Each structure stands twice: as structure tokens, then as C-alpha cells.
Amino acid sequence: MKIIMLGAPGAGKGTQAKMIAEKCGIPHISTGDIFRANIKQGTELGRKAKEFMDKGLLVPDELTCDLVVDRIQKDDCANGFILDGFPRTIRQGEVLEEALTGLGQKVDCALDIVVPDESIIERMAGRRACVGCGATYHIVFAPTKTEGICDKCGEKLILRDDDKPETVQRRLAVYHEQTQPLEDFYAARGVLKEVDGTQTMDKVFGDILGILGV
Ligand code: ADP
Ligand code: AMP
């Protein structure tokens, strides 16, 4: 099963993608996580990506596409994968399609998690990320047992630089302009499935399992 997650930043793509990956036994591939890992390790890719991420802009396609095309050809993707945060432009959608066609494959399902902009602002302001393992929480909707400390690894939690309100506004504008057109792109291919992302996390997950038939 080859699944991609669509939806605004903060719609809940990562939250759901992790659960789907576990349930279906396929890897969760998040380009945002890959960039953040590179920033943490101080690589050249991380240095370049950070310039764009901190401004709420997309990392250019030429830095993004090759790494995804390489990643989806690794052995652990033999039974499928779930892409979270990629594609984010029509060009990225085309590159993915060309790569999959070359492998005799295609996207089976584009899950679009729909959440209005007002709720996105609230979600991003409350999102907290672990500096150690990257786990994501929310101060109201998914709190940790001890405030500010990751349940999974015990490291401290931070508000991501790009989750600050002024950057969130920019990221939302970029989403509507550059990423949302992918809804039509995947609808035209008959694989777009919309999910009401304003429901509780468990309810959203239930709807997704129904769509995937797993
Ligand atoms: P994305 O990967 O789309 O940017 P996340 O999965 O990181 O979004 O979710 C953004 C924030 O909203 C996180 O703090 C997460 O805990 C919270 N969240 C995710 N899904 C829901 C939901 N259905 N209801 C309330 N909060 C949610
Ligand atoms: P995310 O964790 O998915 O919200 O991504 C965080 C940031 O990483 C985004 O705001 C972009 O700057 C960058 N990024 C992640 N995925 C992509 C992508 N597919 N194309 C361009 N930039 C991306």
C-alpha cells in the first residue's frame, strides 16, 4: 500500500501517519523529520533546508525530490510506505509519479486531512516536539504525563521555531498556494480521499482505517 498524506501544516498528518505505519507495517517517511534530523546533525542539507524552514517557506524541489525518490526504493518499502509532508508541490507530485511509474507502481491513496485554518493556528501553538526522539505532543489535546518532558525518551519538549504564530501564517499561505492544488492532481487520478480532521485523533484514525479497509 502506497499512501500519501495531504493536509495543511498541523492538520494531524504526522500523528495519523505514525499510527497507520504501525498498523500496516510500512515505513513512515516524513520529509520534515528528515530535514530536522539533518539540521541536528549539522549536515550541508540541513544547513540549506533550515534557511527556508525558519522562514515558513518550502525547501526547494531540487533539495527534496531526490532524497524521497532514493528513500522509497529502499528494501523496507517493498510492501509500501506512507509519505508525510511529500509531495508539497505539483512538481513533487509529478516527480513521485514518474519515479513510481518507472518502478511499475503508483500511489494507492492520497489521504487529505481537512482542518480549517482557525483550528490549525490553535494546534500549532500548542504542538510540542521532543528534542531527543522527535515525538509530537499537544499541550491540550495530547499532553505528556509530566509537563515539558517526553513520555517516550525523557528528553525535554520545545515549541518548534516554525510553529511560532507569525511563521504559521506564512506556512498556511504557502500551503494554500503551492500544496493544496495537489488535491485536484490526485482527484484526477481517482485516489483522493478526504477525512474530517477536526474530530478526535481516534475518530480520525477510525475513518482512515475504514477508507484503507484494514
Ligand atoms: P502535521 O504533521 O500535519 O503538521 P501533527 O500530526 O504534528 O500535524 O499535529 C499537529 C498538532 O495537533 C500536534 O500537537 C498534535 O498533537 C495535534 N493533533 C493532531 N491531531 C489532532 C486532533 N485530531 N485533534 C486535536 N489535536 C490534534
Ligand atoms: P513538516 O514537519 O512536514 O511540517 O515540515 C517542516 C518544514 O520542512 C516545512 O515547512 C518545509 O519548510 C520543509 N519541508 C518538509 N517537507 C517538504 C517538502 N516536501 N517540500 C518542501 N519543503 C518541505
Side-chain angles (χ1 to χ4, degrees):
M1 180 95 76
K2 289 163 204 77
I3 304 165
I4 63 173
M5 305 296 293
L6 294 178
K13 300 182 297 297
T15 301
Q16 298 299 328
K18 286 187 188 95
M19 296 196 281
I20 301 165
E22 194 173 330
K23 174 90 183 169
C24 298
I26 51 177
H28 165 215
I29 302 170
S30 153
T31 39
D33 284 352
I34 294 171
F35 289 137
R36 281 185 288 278
N38 274 272
I39 292 171
K40 202 169 160 191
Q41 289 156 18
T43 69
E44 182 64 10
L45 173 64
R47 194 185 58 72
K48 287 186 184 156
K50 190 172 186 326
E51 278 177 42
F52 298 93
M53 291 167 75
D54 283 353
K55 294 187 190 128
L57 300 174
L58 295 184
V59 177
D61 289 346
E62 55 272 27
L63 293 177
T64 310
C65 291
D66 288 352
L67 76 86
V68 174
V69 169
D70 287 347
R71 179 66 188 86
I72 61 172
Q73 295 183 59
K74 301 265 187 252
D75 290 347
D76 64 341
C77 292
N79 292 325
F81 51 76
I82 176 150
L83 280 178
D84 162 17
F86 186 97
R88 257 181 160 105
T89 62
I90 292 286
R91 180 68 200 131
Q92 291 180 10
E94 290 169 349
V95 168
L96 176 65
E97 189 169 59
E98 282 160 26
L100 287 174
T101 303
L103 298 166
Q105 302 171 8
K106 63 174 184 55
V107 167
D108 298 302
C109 184
L111 286 171
D112 187 15
I113 307 192
V114 183
V115 176
D117 287 6
E118 309 81 75
S119 313
I120 292 290
I121 312 266
E122 184 188 17
R123 286 200 188 172
M124 306 285 258
R127 172 156 67 181
R128 296 292 179 270
C130 173
V131 292
C133 69
T136 302
Y137 301 91
H138 190 282
I139 52 174
V140 178
F141 305 123
T144 46
K145 293 192 188 88
T146 310
E147 198 185 317
I149 302 293
C150 179
D151 286 349
K152 297 193 175 98
C153 75
E155 288 273 5
K156 79 173 181 115
L157 304 182
I158 52 154
L159 173 69
R160 270 166 49 179
D161 279 342
D162 59 348
D163 280 352
K164 301 202 166 124
E166 57 281 14
T167 314
V168 169
Q169 294 288 1
R170 169 80 72 85
R171 292 173 69 197
L172 270 173
V174 166
Y175 163 74
H176 289 304
E177 191 188 317
Q178 299 192 55
T179 307
Q180 210 164 12
L182 283 164
E183 291 172 355
D184 286 344
F185 181 91
Y186 286 108
R189 284 149 181 79
V191 293
L192 184 75
K193 301 283 177 200
E194 291 193 351
V195 182
D196 175 4
T198 63
Q199 310 172 96
T200 63
M201 294 176 203
D202 287 347
K203 195 73 181 58
V204 176
F205 188 50
D207 285 1
I208 289 175
L209 295 185
I211 288 168
L212 298 177
V214 293

